[in-house]
Amino acid sequence: MTSFVQETNTRMIFPLPESYFVSGSEEGATWGGGIQDSYLPNSSSVESAWEVISGLENEDVARLSKKVLTSIQHTLTSLCALNFAHCDFPDLHAFIDDEGIVSIEWIFSQFRIGFVIDTIITDSSWYLVSNGELGDTNASGYLFENDINKHVQWLISFVISNS
Amino acid sequence: MCFPNNFIKGITDSQCIIEDGSIASHLFNFKDNADRDDGNLEQSINWEDDNDAISFTLNQKKDDGSIQFKAGVAIVPLEEIEQLNQKHTVNIVVSYERDILDNNPYHGNLLIPQSVPKPTRRKFAAWIALGVSNIIPRP
């Protein structure tokens, strides 16, 4: 499980390296174990997106889409379990266009984040846009499979800080 | 050339309209198409030149006679395109044009250089979607 710390004022989330240890113990306390996503109640915001991608025929697009949703779900689960975020996020939306390209998007009134899984897998990308009330913050880039968690955590950090 | 305050984007898929009244970003994607020789990609819009433009768009038909935009239309202030060009740190310009057709006097295009990478194009699509001022579903 990825560990996180949260900055108090901005509520920004920072992932910790896997080898980071938290000191301290209580007599009789039990440590260890991982978080099982399926047993926690916050998966509902991702549920409809899972249903949309369940029928994908392109194996590469399906694989990458599932990785993105898994990363989002796991990050939300971890943050909610650590009380770093409220657990009533709006639904994540997934769409498949007529070319088989998947768009996974989180829409808020002042900003939105998204992931696009292209049939040309190396053209897959992510984005963040906001309106003037949030300083027109914007970013985008290619989505590399090995970097999915990093992108997801950074984008969700923005969501938590601004929702 | 004079342009109106708003342009109209037709919505073919009702799933693009989110239950909270917002619109999915991919509606405004600039797709790869090699139909132009000026180095630009285009996406079709209609200009809201007068009070009839919206109803015209809602009633537009495909070649087979069926309604083209079954879900409705989205209205976007042209100012959003102007602000997008000012906001972006790299000198990439989303431009626009009139492209009157025999059966559509309101037709036009949003244009973006073909050289713009896909991540940036999709970011621009999301920005435009964020600026939608009104969604008119088909009655």
Side-chain angles (χ1 to χ4, degrees):
Chain A
M1 166 186 150
T2 302
S3 298
F4 297 90
V5 292
Q6 186 175 35
E7 200 279 328
T8 305
N9 290 333
T10 64
R11 296 190 293 151
M12 284 185 69
I13 308 294
F14 301 92
L16 296 174
E18 291 296 329
S19 58
Y20 189 93
F21 287 101
V22 178
S23 64
S25 63
E26 293 180 14
E27 185 174 335
T30 301
W31 293 80
I35 287 180
Q36 297 300 317
D37 295 353
S38 58
Y39 293 106
L40 290 173
N42 71 314
S43 300
S44 60
S45 59
V46 194
E47 189 176 328
S48 61
W50 276 112
E51 288 176 7
V52 169
I53 72 162
S54 63
L56 282 170
E57 294 181 354
N58 184 311
E59 289 181 2
D60 289 336
V61 173
R63 186 189 73 253
L64 191 55
S65 300
K66 287 174 186 174
K67 277 192 172 185
V68 169
L69 286 184
T70 299
S71 179
I72 292 172
Q73 186 166 332
H74 186 80
T75 303
L76 290 179
T77 301
S78 301
L79 296 180
C80 288
L82 293 168
N83 286 323
F84 283 177
H86 57 81
C87 297
D88 56 347
F89 292 101
D91 284 351
L92 196 65
H93 297 282
F95 311 91
I96 306 173
D97 72 7
D98 51 9
E99 295 178 2
I101 296 173
V102 173
S103 297
I104 297 172
E105 191 168 37
W106 226 345
I107 298 172
F108 298 83
S109 59
Q110 297 175 320
F111 67 95
R112 46 180 73 191
I113 66 170
F115 302 87
V116 179
I117 294 86
D118 203 309
T119 50
I120 303 171
I121 282 296
T122 49
D123 282 347
S124 300
S125 62
W126 60 270
Y127 58 81
L128 156 70
V129 296
S130 73
N131 62 14
E133 294 179 48
L134 291 181
D136 296 319
T137 303
N138 70 93
S140 61
Y142 285 99
L143 187 67
F144 300 114
E145 265 188 84
N146 293 337
D147 292 339
I148 287 176
N149 286 341
K150 187 168 61 178
H151 293 311
V152 165
Q153 287 161 13
W154 184 74
L155 290 169
I156 288 182
S157 178
F158 184 92
V159 170
I160 291 171
S161 298
N162 294 285
S163 62
Chain B
M1 186 173 288
C2 187
F3 292 93
N5 291 335
N6 301 319
F7 63 89
I8 305 163
K9 184 71 178 179
I11 309 168
T12 54
D13 185 356
S14 60
Q15 291 189 8
C16 286
I17 303 176
I18 312 301
E19 53 273 3
D20 65 354
S22 53
I23 202 84
S25 296
H26 70 277
L27 179 69
F28 296 98
N29 270 346
F30 289 90
K31 295 190 177 181
D32 286 326
N33 52 53
D35 294 340
R36 301 179 69 97
D37 55 9
D38 60 358
N40 283 317
L41 300 176
E42 65 180 34
Q43 63 169 288
S44 283
I45 58 169
N46 279 355
W47 293 106
E48 192 181 359
D49 288 316
D50 53 41
N51 292 335
D52 295 328
I54 292 175
S55 60
F56 175 92
T57 309
L58 283 169
N59 291 306
Q60 256 183 255
K61 290 186 171 58
K62 296 191 287 189
D63 292 340
D64 63 4
S66 61
I67 292 291
Q68 185 165 4
F69 303 120
K70 291 186 171 64
V73 297
I75 312 299
V76 185
L78 185 58
E79 179 64 20
E80 294 296 328
I81 302 299
E82 303 300 343
Q83 288 188 13
L84 188 155
N85 288 327
Q86 292 173 13
K87 278 186 283 201
H88 204 256
T89 54
V90 181
N91 190 24
I92 297 169
V93 176
V94 176
S95 55
Y96 41 86
E97 65 177 6
R98 286 194 182 275
D99 182 24
I100 295 172
L101 304 175
D102 291 340
N103 59 352
N104 186 354
Y106 301 105
H107 186 254
N109 294 300
L110 298 182
L111 304 170
I112 194 169
Q114 207 168 354
S115 57
V116 174
K118 282 186 179 179
T120 306
R121 288 187 229 163
R122 291 163 181 158
K123 180 178 67 174
F124 283 0
W127 235 334
I128 297 171
L130 196 60
V132 166
S133 62
N134 195 13
I135 297 169
I136 302 171
R138 274 198 70 78

